[in-house]
Amino acid sequence: MDQVQTHRTSFVRRTSDPRGGSSIQPTTTPAIGVVWDLSDLFSGPDDPRIAAELDAIDRDAELFAARYRGTIDVAGGPTPEWLRAGIEALEDLSERQWRISGYAHLNYDQDTRDNVARALSQRVEERLTSPRNAVVFFDLEWMAVADEAATRLIGDPTLQAYRHYLEAQRSFRSHRLSEVEERLANEKDVTGSSAWARLHTETTAALEVRVSLDDGEQHLNLSRALALLHHPDRRVRRAGHDGLYAALANAGPVLTFAYDTLIQDKRTMDRLRRHLDPMASRHLGNELPSSAIESMMRVVESAYPIAQTWFRTKARLLGLSDFMIYDQYAPLDQREHSVPWSEATILVEDSYAAIDPEYGAIAREVFAKKWVDADPRVGKRGGAYCSYPSPKLHPWILCNFMGTPRDVMTVAHEMGHALHAMLSRVQTPFNYHSTLPLAETASVFGEMVVFDRLLASETDRSARLGLLAGKIEDAFATVFRQNVLTRFEQMAFAARSEGRLTSDRLGDVWIEANRAYYGDAVSLTEEYRWGWSYIPHFIHTPFYCYAYVFGQLLVMALYRMYKEEGRSFVPKFQSLLAAGGSGRPDDLLRPLGVEINDEVFWSKGVDELRRLVAEATSLSHPEAR
């Protein structure tokens, strides 16, 4: 399906933390037992309402088709009232599908090893293909309406609430297939791209990473292994690095074949849909011109020396002559910090309340009503995300909390998504979800508020430097590294045009993309060639990663405005969040003075990175102590 279709009528919406969630591996896991409550959806995978609702959705989709087929693409177009009634009926069907598919996915992510959860997830996906196919005609008929009639309808007051939705759908006119072909594509995905994506998820979730430490060999899942790369002890970081990439190499043939197949599947669909570039459908779905994204990425690449300078400074501070890839996230404050879950939730609540009391109340509700799953147990999906399927529901947060300050920032990030979800519930279902670049706005903003409160409360210079370094490196991961990931995807797709991708070829491309960022400031290991293989965005949402770059740079500029304007900034910010996906990103951002096509704007965000590095560098000099 095209991105606009995925964006507007997908069954579950997730936005995730680009850093992958947890960090240092402490001796305890203070979020044990913190699991979410999914009973607002269904009581369990055996809830009889699931089968009943699937049957009802099938019937109602057929009734919808019988009522509206052939009535949209008519001479002069349908009446505004009829078109609105059709959209509202389609919204209702879509919302019901989101609800049931959302439950299946959330239930599956709790334990990807659970055969009952696996079976339900696949059964729901298969069953919902039929109602999706039954209603696919509606958008196709709307796209076929003559321009003059479509323009009149889009401007009609009766359809004002759906103006943006109708315009966005028509932007895909030249890329849609016939109804028969669209239905075949949906059927194919169940045993095609969706199946390969599920295989990748289950393979990475089941990885057993063997790490040799002083107290013996540990067997860790992916999230816990990644956490070791942030450990203060270099021997532990190296052991985590070696174990992680050895496990990925062992799974390499499966991960490579899955990714190669998914790339070729997308290349095939792009060719059939007449997309000339593999990023084109993502740009259309994000409603952003490719020129703006390329401009943004060029600005970011020109700023790579900022990161390289910082890595050299960090090597000096750590006393390392050979700064390795597994050293980049080494904490400068060598003391281990463990934050209890209860303290983390209070900090996040208070930080959001400092922006606006309503925001704090939303955060308290999310925690109090058990909408968060933070327990880093075996079998659970790694990383972190916030799922908010429908404006008639509430958000659910998944993270793997292991008690570090960085984990607190991850919770703050996902709470921002939850805030965005709650504020935009004033929108209709088709206007609910913002495009991917704007989806990061509240999450990054919330992170920055929490960070400032942590920094303001810290009087110890070493601890302050450690906090600043952590913030800088998280920003680097969100701006520079996500830019690298996007370039890697471009290069991988280009390489696939020359033939099947092997592990060696993907490793070469990965190192080439990363070398541009790290330069000679960071040494890349041979094992790091497998660094591409566990990135879920490559598998589930190709070319998602530049949305993180967009969101981080955007919010760094907006946050500067907030600090300068104070409380008067909040209503403008809230209007942006409440707007959801009811407008194009450039239109929604313009009231805040943002012009996304202007390289000067993107440079403002980069200047904030430069300022943070300068502040940390100044604090690192002996005379500053």
Side-chain angles (χ1 to χ4, degrees):
M1 292 166 59
D2 282 329
Q3 171 59 18
V4 71
Q5 186 73 4
T6 303
H7 170 56
R8 299 301 174 188
T9 59
S10 63
F11 300 147
V12 61
R13 170 58 177 244
R14 296 171 176 169
T15 49
S16 55
D17 180 1
R19 302 162 306 193
S22 58
S23 49
I24 301 170
Q25 171 90 9
T27 56
T28 61
T29 50
I32 291 293
V34 179
V35 297
W36 54 27
D37 180 1
L38 301 180
S39 62
D40 287 345
L41 293 168
F42 295 97
S43 62
D46 57 351
D47 189 332
R49 292 181 300 157
I50 295 176
E53 180 64 355
L54 286 170
D55 290 341
I57 288 171
D58 273 335
R59 291 193 303 269
D60 292 345
E62 292 299 332
L63 289 172
F64 176 90
R67 181 174 178 81
Y68 289 101
R69 180 182 292 280
T71 68
I72 305 301
D73 179 21
V74 294
T79 66
E81 293 76 16
W82 185 254
L83 182 56
R84 178 175 180 126
I87 294 173
E88 290 175 342
L90 186 60
E91 275 188 318
D92 178 68
L93 269 172
S94 298
E95 194 278 331
R96 290 162 60 193
Q97 292 175 70
W98 294 341
R99 182 182 296 264
I100 198 168
S101 184
Y103 174 77
H105 282 290
L106 295 173
N107 181 63
Y108 169 75
D109 287 349
Q110 292 180 127
D111 186 353
T112 61
R113 305 166 306 168
D114 185 348
N115 287 329
V116 174
R118 289 181 176 185
L120 176 64
S121 178
Q122 184 159 348
R123 177 164 64 93
V124 167
E125 183 177 1
E126 291 172 355
R127 283 291 306 274
L128 290 180
T129 299
S130 178
R132 286 169 60 197
N133 277 342
V135 303
V136 73
F137 74 90
F138 190 87
D139 286 342
L140 295 175
E141 287 200 26
W142 165 242
M143 292 179 194
V145 172
D147 287 340
E148 182 179 352
T151 300
R152 172 178 50 78
L153 286 163
I154 289 171
D156 193 283
T158 303
L159 292 162
Q160 180 59 36
Y162 296 101
R163 179 185 184 114
H164 174 246
Y165 169 77
L166 292 169
E167 290 176 335
Q169 289 294 324
R170 287 181 70 84
S171 69
F172 279 82
R173 289 178 74 188
S174 59
H175 304 290
R176 297 309 296 266
L177 307 175
S178 69
E179 182 180 351
V180 170
E181 291 167 329
E182 292 288 356
R183 291 166 71 107
L184 285 172
N186 288 336
E187 294 279 0
K188 171 194 70 69
D189 285 347
V190 174
T191 54
S193 59
S194 294
W196 286 108
R198 190 182 306 110
L199 175 64
H200 183 277
T201 296
E202 293 180 3
T203 300
T204 54
L207 279 180
E208 182 179 77
V209 180
R210 299 185 178 188
V211 180
S212 297
L213 301 173
D214 289 343
D215 55 352
E217 185 176 81
Q218 293 188 20
H219 294 190
L220 307 176
N221 63 12
L222 182 63
S223 292
R224 291 176 180 268
L226 286 168
L228 296 184
L229 302 181
H230 299 257
H231 201 280
D233 188 328
R234 195 184 199 203
R235 293 173 303 168
V236 174
R237 295 196 301 274
R238 177 61 192 259
H241 166 279
D242 292 351
L244 170 67
Y245 291 113
L248 290 169
N250 286 337
V254 173
L255 299 177
T256 298
F257 192 82
Y259 188 41
D260 173 78
T261 302
L262 286 165
I263 287 180
Q264 186 57 20
D265 180 86
K266 178 168 165 47
R267 291 183 73 247
T268 299
M269 294 309 299
D270 282 346
R271 174 175 54 80
L272 294 174
R273 295 188 184 283
R274 298 172 294 280
H275 290 302
L276 301 181
D277 181 271
M279 293 180 74
S281 62
R282 180 66 60 209
H283 292 329
L284 277 175
N286 287 342
E287 300 179 70
L288 293 171
S290 60
S291 58
I293 300 308
E294 275 301 322
S295 175
M296 177 190 75
M297 293 180 69
R298 285 195 302 270
V299 168
V300 169
E301 285 165 335
S302 71
Y304 282 169
I306 297 174
Q308 294 163 15
T309 298
W310 170 249
F311 292 136
R312 293 188 185 98
T313 298
K314 187 170 182 178
R316 171 179 61 81
L317 293 171
L318 293 173
L320 299 176
S321 58
D322 56 336
F323 194 73
M324 306 297 294
I325 187 66
Y326 50 79
D327 294 319
Q328 67 172 320
Y329 298 123
L332 289 181
D333 183 0
Q334 295 292 302
R335 297 166 294 182
E336 289 195 28
H337 299 274
S338 183
V339 183
W341 174 252
S342 58
E343 290 183 16
T345 60
I346 292 171
L347 176 60
V348 171
E349 289 173 12
D350 289 350
S351 298
Y352 275 92
I355 309 172
D356 188 271
E358 180 188 356
Y359 298 177
I362 288 173
R364 282 192 296 276
E365 183 180 19
V366 170
F367 289 130
K369 293 187 175 179
K370 301 179 68 174
W371 298 345
V372 181
D373 192 315
D375 186 344
R377 58 195 176 275
V378 174
K380 177 182 172 182
R381 175 179 167 142
Y385 67 73
C386 180
S387 177
Y388 42 107
S390 158
K392 296 181 181 180
L393 297 168
H394 57 75
W396 283 269
I397 290 173
L398 179 144
C399 60
N400 288 272
F401 186 88
M402 292 190 285
T404 70
R406 191 166 179 270
D407 288 336
V408 177
M409 301 300 291
T410 294
V411 176
H413 180 100
E414 301 308 334
M415 186 59 72
H417 287 307
L419 172 69
H420 200 164
M422 295 294 279
L423 292 178
S424 59
R425 288 201 296 180
V426 296
Q427 301 295 334
T428 69
F430 285 171
N431 288 332
Y432 179 50
H433 293 122
S434 63
T435 59
L436 294 179
L438 291 190
E440 298 302 319
T441 306
S443 56
V444 177
F445 197 95
E447 270 192 83
M448 297 183 78
V449 173
V450 170
F451 170 75
D452 272 0
R453 289 175 71 84
L454 282 172
L455 192 64
S457 65
E458 185 56 71
T459 57
D460 182 87
R461 283 186 179 275
S462 293
R464 285 179 63 83
L465 177 58
L467 283 171
L468 272 170
K471 182 60 182 173
I472 287 166
E473 288 152 16
D474 280 344
F476 284 2
T478 310
V479 176
F480 295 138
R481 186 166 185 266
Q482 299 300 318
N483 207 74
V484 168
L485 298 188
T486 304
R487 289 298 189 208
F488 166 78
E489 285 189 276
Q490 290 177 321
M491 295 162 67
F493 272 82
R496 187 58 179 84
S497 66
E498 301 169 2
R500 176 178 168 179
L501 293 173
T502 64
S503 300
D504 285 343
R505 184 71 179 105
L506 284 168
D508 290 343
V509 172
W510 177 253
I511 294 298
E512 182 181 352
N514 278 269
R515 180 61 66 200
Y517 168 40
Y518 292 113
D520 61 2
V522 179
S523 296
L524 307 181
T525 63
E526 179 65 21
E527 295 88 345
Y528 189 62
R529 294 170 60 84
W530 287 101
W532 60 270
S533 63
Y534 66 90
I535 308 297
H537 299 91
F538 296 163
I539 303 302
H540 300 284
T541 325
F543 299 104
Y544 185 132
C545 293
Y546 78 70
Y548 288 124
V549 186
F550 187 107
Q552 181 76 37
L553 293 180
L554 168 66
V555 174
M556 294 187 90
L558 292 181
Y559 193 63
R560 176 55 53 184
M561 293 170 58
Y562 167 62
K563 295 181 77 171
E564 292 170 352
E565 299 178 20
R567 295 283 301 170
S568 64
F569 175 82
V570 175
K572 294 183 289 185
F573 184 66
Q574 180 153 331
S575 293
L576 173 65
L577 300 182
S582 61
R584 293 174 54 88
D586 53 351
D587 292 335
L588 296 178
L589 289 170
R590 197 163 290 117
L592 286 87
V594 174
E595 291 294 340
I596 62 173
N597 290 296
D598 186 356
E599 286 195 8
V600 173
F601 169 74
W602 299 115
S603 297
K604 290 179 181 178
V606 169
D607 286 344
E608 285 296 298
L609 287 177
R610 189 177 285 109
R611 181 188 63 78
L612 285 172
V613 170
E615 184 178 351
T617 302
S618 175
L619 197 60
S620 72
H621 291 306
E623 59 270 21
R625 300 174 183 269

